[in-house]
Structure formats: C-alpha cells, structure tokens
Amino acid sequence: MLEEIYIAGFGGQGALSTGQLLAHAGLKEGRNVSYVPFYGVEKRGGVANCGVTISDREISCPIVTEPTVLIAMNSPSLERFESTVVPGGLIITNSSLVDVQVKRDDVRVVQVRANEEAESLGDAMVANNIILGVLLELTGVVSIKAVEESLKEVLPARHHVKIPLNVKALERGAELAREYKKSGLG
C-alpha cells in the first residue's frame, strides 16, 4: 500500500492540520509516514499545502510530486495541482469554494460541498474533516478510529472541546463517500 496525498488550500482552511492528522494516524497504525508542509508567511489566507505519504514499505522520498490523491480546498489549488495527479488517481474538491471543473478524464473526481456540510453540523471550521472522512472512506489509507485517536494529540488543547464535532464531521464525510460509491460513481 502506498498513498501519496497532496492537500492544497489557503491558510485557515485546515490543510496542514488535515495532513498532520493523516500522518499521525498512519503512525498509530504502524505505517511508514512522511509529512511535508509548505506555507507562506501570511497567518491566514496565504498558501497552505502539504504532502503526506503513507506506506507499508520504506518511503524513498518524502516530497509528494505525483500524488495518488489531491485534495483541493479552493480553485487556485485545483488549477495549480490537477496536472500532478497520477492517471487513475483521485481528486477531491471542496465544491463550496472550488468553482472550476477538473479538466482531466483519467482520474476519479469527488466534489464535496464541505463548507455547507460543516455548517449543517454547526461549525464551518470542520469542513476539512468532512473532506478527510471522504478520503478515508474512499481510500482506506488509515482508519477513522486512528484519526479520532489522533485528534487529541494533533489539535491544541484549547480545541479539545470540539473533538466530538470533529468526529461527527469525519463520520459525515465517510457517509457522503458511501453515498457516492452507492450511486455507482466511486
């Protein structure tokens, strides 16, 4: 098993914390993991991307240049990184904020209205975990249980009160992915 995941967005969208959760969960499951963040100097609104590799064998290069999965949290991220995804790969977009279409026909595309789904749970700040739940259900790269256990170690203590909401977001994302698969698209 080898998944090379690139998560791209703007600061404040949770791209980096999503990558940290994935990497931490991979370690909890005994996998080889690399996590490499890329971000601008701005606190919010600047570039915030990361590459996460999770494998059952040694990882030869920690930098994700040809992802098997791209998570695009906004339109500029999709436009910039769509071409890097390997043929047969998966592109997950936050269609709440991505207003352009994937141009390729050699990848699977899943569009998730993550912001609206998160707002329906009571907090738009968990949109990243809606998407993470979709990713986990579609790829099986790590278990939701491992991500749930990682929340208290990755999130700052001041956000631990929101762990139950984050778990609901993960579960809602997985449910959306099951609906997607049931529709015959996955």
Side-chain angles (χ1 to χ4, degrees):
M1 186 278 295
L2 171 69
E3 287 288 353
E4 294 184 289
I5 303 158
Y6 202 79
I7 305 165
F10 291 139
Q13 289 186 294
L16 300 180
S17 62
T18 300
Q20 288 176 319
L21 282 170
L22 268 173
H24 202 278
L27 289 172
K28 280 192 167 299
E29 292 188 345
R31 306 260 173 69
N32 294 299
V33 173
S34 72
Y35 165 75
V36 180
F38 302 94
Y39 47 88
V41 296
E42 305 88 349
K43 185 167 182 139
R44 287 199 177 267
V47 173
N49 305 330
C50 66
V52 179
T53 304
I54 300 177
S55 179
D56 53 7
R57 358 180 248 276
E58 285 188 23
I59 297 169
S60 60
C61 178
I63 307 295
V64 175
T65 58
E66 295 180 323
T68 55
V69 179
L70 169 66
I71 294 174
M73 301 293 284
N74 54 44
S75 295
S77 295
L78 176 61
E79 291 171 333
R80 181 168 181 199
F81 297 108
E82 174 183 349
S83 65
T84 65
V85 179
V86 297
L90 172 64
I91 297 176
I92 302 171
T93 66
N94 178 355
S95 60
S96 300
L97 301 175
V98 175
D99 59 3
V100 296
Q101 296 298 312
V102 172
K103 296 177 177 81
R104 296 177 54 185
D105 61 5
D106 64 341
V107 294
R108 289 186 304 154
V109 178
V110 178
Q111 298 175 321
V112 181
R113 297 191 60 76
N115 287 43
E116 287 83 353
E117 291 290 341
E119 287 168 7
S120 74
L121 294 177
D123 190 343
M125 295 297 287
V126 297
N128 61 315
N129 282 329
I130 298 280
I131 290 177
L132 181 53
V134 170
L135 170 75
L136 299 177
E137 182 68 28
L138 292 178
T139 65
V141 64
V142 295
S143 68
I144 285 183
K145 180 88 172 138
V147 174
E148 288 176 13
E149 291 171 3
S150 297
L151 281 166
K152 58 180 118 5
E153 296 172 46
V154 171
L155 292 179
R158 69 183 185 278
H159 293 303
H160 284 193
V161 69
K162 292 187 176 189
I163 288 176
L165 179 60
N166 280 279
V167 171
K168 282 183 185 175
L170 290 166
E171 291 168 350
R172 178 60 183 145
E175 180 182 328
L176 291 169
R178 286 190 294 275
E179 291 171 12
Y180 173 81
K181 289 192 288 190
K182 194 174 190 179
S183 72
L185 298 172

